[in-house]
């Protein structure tokens, strides 16, 4: 049995040997642009599903209820724990920040910026904005020290002492982490989440600001006013 001779190069059709034509560079560029555009549109659509308003901060899904808690705000003998509940229709919008009085920079700057935001509000809205500092260092931050510290930055500031283990539960509800960090040659510090959480008058979490966003006071104020004016 004889085998058939292999075809000569000339006998192989051009369709078999030729590579597909190279795609023009501008076609690749257009396809890449389309892909990026679709990705950005997807991110924009996801954000708008959370909130139709273009918040400067990070919007929460609609109807995300804020967790209330109980804490002490005074050292007087008659002081009793106060329930910080977010009751629908209470009329106040609340910024909740977790920090401590021995904080070197982030906590005092956060309170300073939040009070600058409050000062930027129209007079009729200032009283409707409450600022709560919840201590993540209850061992050192007495209720009296906390309240004095918070009110130093603005008369509407309130410092809240929540003892352990309740504090851990409150922090977890807001997605806050905190941890004691020993420092050689000095007292300890607390590493903690630096976000601020805005709760509307209906008791819902509406927006979260990262610490790095707070210096842009006007943009934060715009977020706050939208929440005040839009139940």
């Amino acid at each position: 049995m004889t085998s058939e001779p292999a075809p000569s190069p000339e006998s192989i059709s051009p369709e078999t040997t030729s590579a597909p034509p190279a795609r023009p560079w501008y076609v690749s560029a257009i396809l890449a642009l389309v892909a990026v555009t679709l990705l950005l549109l997807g991110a924009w659509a996801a954000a708008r599903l959370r909130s139709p308003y273009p918040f400067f901060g990070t919007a929460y899904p609609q109807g995300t209820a804020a967790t209330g808690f109980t804490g002490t705000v005074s050292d007087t003998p008659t002081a009793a724990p106060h329930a910080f509940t977010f009751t629908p229709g209470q009329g106040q919008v609340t910024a909740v920040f977790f920090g401590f009085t021995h904080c070197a920079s982030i906590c005092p700057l956060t309170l300073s910026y939040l009070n600058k935001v409050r000062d930027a509000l129209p007079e009729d809205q200032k009283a409707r904005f409450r600022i709560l500092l919840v201590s993540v260092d209850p061992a050192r931050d007495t209720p009296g020290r906390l309240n004095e510290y918070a009110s130093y930055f603005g008369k509407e500031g309130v410092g809240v002492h929540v003892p352990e283990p309740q504090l851990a539960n409150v922090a977890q509800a807001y997605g806050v982490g905190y941890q004691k960090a020993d420092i050689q040659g000095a007292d300890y510090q607390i590493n903690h989440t630096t976000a601020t959480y805005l709760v509307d008058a209906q008791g819902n979490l509406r927006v979260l600001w990262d610490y790095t966003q707070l210096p842009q006071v006007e943009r934060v104020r715009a977020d706050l006013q939208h929440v005040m004016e839009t139940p």
Side-chain angles (χ1 to χ4, degrees), residues 50 59-67 173 198-200 202-206:
R50 285 193 167 200
Y60 281 91
Q62 294 184 6
T64 302
T67 298
L198 191 68
V199 183
D200 68 15
Q202 303 304 314
N204 292 316
L205 282 162
R206 295 289 294 276

Side-chain angles (χ1 to χ4, degrees), residues 85-196:
T85 56
F86 303 105
T87 305
Q90 67 182 355
Q92 278 190 309
V93 174
T94 305
V96 182
F97 173 71
F98 292 78
F100 64 115
T101 64
H102 290 78
C103 183
S105 59
I106 290 177
C107 301
L109 286 174
T110 293
L111 292 173
S112 177
Y113 288 131
L114 288 174
N115 278 281
K116 287 181 179 180
V117 171
R118 181 183 178 277
D119 290 341
L121 292 172
E123 287 298 325
D124 62 334
Q125 292 184 334
K126 289 180 179 179
R128 294 175 51 203
F129 181 43
R130 177 174 62 172
I131 301 170
L132 295 185
L133 167 64
V134 180
S135 175
V136 291
D137 188 14
R140 291 185 298 184
D141 287 342
T142 64
R145 177 182 174 88
L146 266 171
N147 210 32
E148 180 181 357
Y149 180 83
S151 61
Y152 170 81
F153 297 94
K155 63 181 181 179
E156 298 302 318
V158 178
V160 186
H161 180 275
V162 181
E164 295 286 11
Q166 293 94 324
L167 175 61
N169 295 330
V170 174
Q172 183 179 27
Y174 284 83
V176 171
Y178 62 99
Q179 185 176 31
K180 182 178 178 181
D182 293 323
I183 300 177
Q184 186 175 6
D187 209 346
Y188 67 87
Q189 289 288 304
I190 303 290
N191 296 328
H192 62 94
T193 302
T194 59
T196 297

